[in-house]
Amino acid sequence: QRKNPFSSDDRLASKPAHTHRGDPTYGRPPEGSQTEQRGKDAHSHVGKEVEELCLIIRRTGKVGEDGQVSVTFGQLFETYVTISNKVVGILLRARKHGLVHFEGEMLWQGKDDDVVITLL
């Protein structure tokens, strides 16, 4: 559309044609766009799911000698799957943010039911 002489979209004309990897806007939607807002909404939604997962771990887990709450993956899966089918993805996000700890890269239902998840 930027090169289209019949386009009257001023938004496109005011934006530089190409951004480069060093540019802070590289890979980001235009500021104030609907795409940017959808991204912010999705980030907020996932954040709420992570919080909810942590609350469920606290509620269903057991407090260990070190004072930290732990639950097995099998128990957590059975409890949380009724709320969301994205248990593993939310667990990975929570670990990325330093909220939980568990061994291994990925957790699989059945195979990893005995893996302990610790709430940090």
Side-chain angles (χ1 to χ4, degrees):
Q1 286 298 330
R2 207 177 318 283
K3 295 178 181 180
N4 184 346
F6 303 106
S7 176
S8 62
D9 194 345
D10 294 332
R11 248 179 344 119
L12 295 172
S14 64
K15 188 175 180 208
H18 298 285
T19 57
H20 303 283
R21 284 188 192 261
D23 187 358
T25 61
Y26 180 77
R28 303 236 178 238
E31 229 176 285
S33 68
Q34 288 182 342
T35 302
E36 181 189 41
Q37 187 58 47
R38 283 190 294 270
K40 287 179 180 179
D41 293 345
H43 184 75
S44 173
H45 178 74
V46 170
K48 288 176 188 172
E49 284 202 35
V50 168
E51 284 178 33
E52 188 173 5
L53 177 75
C54 291
L55 289 172
I56 289 172
I57 292 172
R58 181 169 287 132
R59 197 175 325 132
T60 60
K62 293 185 171 71
V63 180
E65 293 176 11
D66 56 0
Q68 291 183 322
V69 178
S70 297
V71 66
T72 63
F73 176 65
Q75 184 182 1
L76 179 64
F77 188 89
E78 290 302 318
T79 304
Y80 194 77
V81 80
T82 59
I83 298 166
S84 173
N85 61 352
K86 301 179 280 288
V87 180
V88 176
I90 299 299
L91 267 173
L92 292 173
R93 178 65 64 104
R95 180 169 67 178
K96 179 180 176 182
H97 290 289
L99 300 172
V100 297
H101 172 75
F102 57 89
E103 295 295 324
E105 284 289 314
M106 180 68 82
L107 296 173
W108 303 97
Q109 183 187 9
K111 178 183 150 209
D112 294 319
D113 283 351
D114 295 329
V115 172
V116 177
I117 299 165
T118 305
L119 186 62
L120 303 174

